[in-house]
Amino acid sequence: MLHPGIIILLICLFLLLVIAAEHAARRWSLPAPTWLLLAGLAYGLAGRLGWGSLPAIAFAPDLVVFGFLPVLIFAASRKLPVRPLVAEGVAVAWLSAAGPLIGMVLLAVPLVVIGRWPWSHALLFGVALSPTDPLAVGAMLKKQRAPKRLAILIEGESLFNDALAVVLFSLLAGSVVGSSEFKLGATLSGIGYSLFGAIVLGGAAGGIAGALLRWWHDLHDRFVGAILPLILVYGVFALAHSVLHVSGVVAVVVCTLVLGGMHTHCHDPTDMQKRADNFFDDFWQFLDTLAGAILFFGLGAMVGRHEWRLPWILVPAVCALLLISRVATVYPLGVIARLTRQRLPMNWRHALAASGLRGALSVALLLSLPADYERRTAMICLAFALVLFSLVAYLVTATFFLSGLDFEAEEKR
């Protein structure tokens, strides 16, 4: 066991690495998670090749589920405005439902055909890699001053397909890794109970917390404004996941949206309110960045520690189907927009197609699998290749593509 002083020193070195990755992301086009993935891979390779006595990095599944998921979900949902999101409900519903289902099936095909995996195991991998991460593309769209409605579509899709993907992943993992048998009727009723119970729990918790904050007049107190949501998010997630056995992710999403809807103040906020809100944003951005950094570095380190035992042809096959699944999800929106009489310019559909990056939630889901699951290492190694492709090739291509889109001209037509 390492000496506590050595552990603290390693933590300091890791935080310094995170700072360096954030600095590199500002100077070059690659985002910070890419640099952390590569740094983790180098760390894992160094440990496997015997370059120094580096401690191995491993994540306990319960730590990932209860430690990281609540932060990632709350960070993704805390800024979404409720009313504009409801106005885009049809498009968001299509994207958030079709994306995980199409991605789950298409990403599983190469594992079944080339890897000779059973469909149940391949679908488990597919659904884990189906959630999208809007952060990198969202940053690009902000630089180009893209319409707010487009940003709501991208962020709303990511939020709700995260929730659906986690529910599907949990049910599949129960039949694949656990001892439960897959039955369609029982699975559908389980999904219904999980979603309905989570919505009720999240709505009640968010409403009570919002009412208490207004009653205590502490809505804009820095300490209370930061700590109470932290308690609320972890408490709701633990209550949903461990006691009521409903979707903790959906409960946190609903709780966050209700609390955010009640977190309103006058049109002319005071300086204290502005400072409190800025502190709140910075605090949760810090937690989100740190959680993502740990997961990406850990993914790279775990891949570096293991030999690649999968057919290499799986990498381009899965990457190609990642793009195909995104196209199959996004472009039918044109038909849906015409049926609902809502305008959805072609440029917007291009931007949505370019926003299909995979991120920290996919990593967290795979790392939450039991350590003794026979295909866990293979899934993690393949996920590393897919996430790296998403963050490098996908993002660089999307940068050049989106820079040529004139959103304002298209919106005025």
Side-chain angles (χ1 to χ4, degrees):
M1 185 174 179
L2 293 177
H3 188 277
I6 300 299
I7 294 176
I8 292 175
L9 179 60
L10 291 174
I11 292 174
C12 291
L13 290 175
F14 171 74
L15 294 176
L16 185 62
L17 175 65
V18 175
I19 294 173
E22 293 289 333
H23 175 72
R26 293 186 178 93
R27 301 193 61 180
W28 292 287
S29 58
L30 297 180
T34 306
W35 300 106
L36 291 166
L37 267 178
L38 296 176
L41 180 65
Y43 179 92
L45 287 172
R48 181 158 66 91
L49 297 175
W51 298 346
S53 55
L54 298 175
I57 294 178
F59 291 98
D62 286 342
L63 173 63
V64 175
V65 172
F66 291 98
F68 291 98
L69 277 184
V71 171
L72 296 175
I73 297 302
F74 181 80
S77 56
R78 64 188 177 87
K79 285 189 174 182
L80 271 180
V82 177
R83 289 184 181 178
L85 185 63
V86 172
E88 304 297 334
V90 175
V92 170
W94 167 260
L95 290 170
S96 57
L101 294 175
I102 295 174
M104 176 179 67
V105 175
L106 290 184
L107 292 176
V109 170
L111 294 175
V112 174
V113 176
I114 301 174
R116 305 298 181 185
W117 286 21
W119 268 105
S120 56
H121 296 262
L123 289 172
L124 181 65
F125 174 81
V127 75
L129 269 296
S130 63
T132 59
D133 188 341
L135 294 181
V137 174
M140 287 189 293
L141 293 176
K142 285 182 180 179
K143 291 181 181 179
Q144 298 176 24
R145 297 182 180 179
K148 290 184 179 179
R149 182 186 164 207
L150 177 60
I152 290 172
L153 285 173
I154 293 175
E155 293 172 359
E157 176 204 3
S158 176
L159 175 62
F160 288 103
N161 73 17
D162 285 357
L164 179 59
V166 172
V167 172
L168 293 174
F169 181 86
S170 301
L171 292 171
L172 281 172
S175 61
V176 172
V177 181
S179 58
S180 62
E181 182 181 356
F182 180 82
K183 295 181 179 179
L184 182 60
T187 299
L188 293 177
S189 63
I191 292 175
Y193 168 74
S194 181
L195 293 177
F196 178 76
I199 291 171
V200 173
L201 173 62
I208 292 171
L212 285 176
L213 284 173
R214 287 181 176 276
W215 181 37
W216 290 338
H217 303 287
D218 287 329
L219 189 63
H220 297 284
D221 179 85
R222 287 191 177 189
F223 182 79
V224 175
I227 297 300
L228 184 62
L230 190 66
I231 298 171
L232 186 65
V233 166
Y234 278 100
V236 167
F237 187 89
L239 179 61
H241 193 277
S242 301
V243 179
L244 301 178
H245 304 291
V246 298
S247 173
V249 171
V250 175
V252 170
V253 167
V254 175
C255 177
T256 306
L257 292 178
V258 172
L259 183 61
M262 299 180 71
H263 184 162
T264 55
H265 43 63
C266 57
H267 295 290
D268 187 20
T270 64
D271 290 339
M272 184 185 71
Q273 291 172 341
K274 290 179 181 179
R275 288 195 300 269
D277 288 345
N278 290 336
F279 174 79
F280 178 82
D281 290 339
D282 292 341
F283 174 74
W284 278 98
Q285 185 177 357
F286 166 77
L287 292 181
D288 184 37
T289 301
L290 184 59
I294 295 172
L295 290 173
F296 282 116
F297 183 83
L299 175 64
M302 294 178 69
V303 171
R305 281 275 179 177
H306 297 90
E307 295 182 6
W308 182 274
R309 296 181 179 178
L310 295 171
W312 283 100
I313 190 64
L314 275 176
V315 175
V318 173
C319 290
L321 284 169
L322 174 68
L323 299 176
I324 293 172
S325 67
R326 190 62 187 164
V327 169
T329 300
V330 169
Y331 287 99
L333 273 178
V335 177
I336 296 174
R338 285 195 292 270
L339 293 176
T340 57
R341 297 182 179 181
Q342 286 187 322
R343 181 165 175 76
L344 192 67
M346 181 60 73
N347 276 359
W348 291 24
R349 277 171 269 170
H350 294 334
L352 287 167
S355 66
L357 283 77
R358 270 47 178 178
L361 181 64
S362 297
V363 178
L365 289 177
L366 292 178
L367 291 176
S368 70
L369 292 171
D372 58 352
Y373 172 47
E374 58 181 349
R375 288 187 168 86
R376 183 176 187 261
T377 300
M379 287 186 179
I380 289 174
C381 290
L382 190 56
F384 172 86
L386 190 59
V387 172
L388 187 61
F389 165 78
S390 174
L391 290 172
V392 179
Y394 208 143
L395 182 58
V396 171
T397 304
T399 302
F400 286 106
F401 179 71
L402 293 176
S403 63
L405 298 182
D406 188 353
F407 294 111
E408 293 183 0
E410 190 84 36
E411 190 177 22
K412 291 177 181 178
R413 292 181 185 177

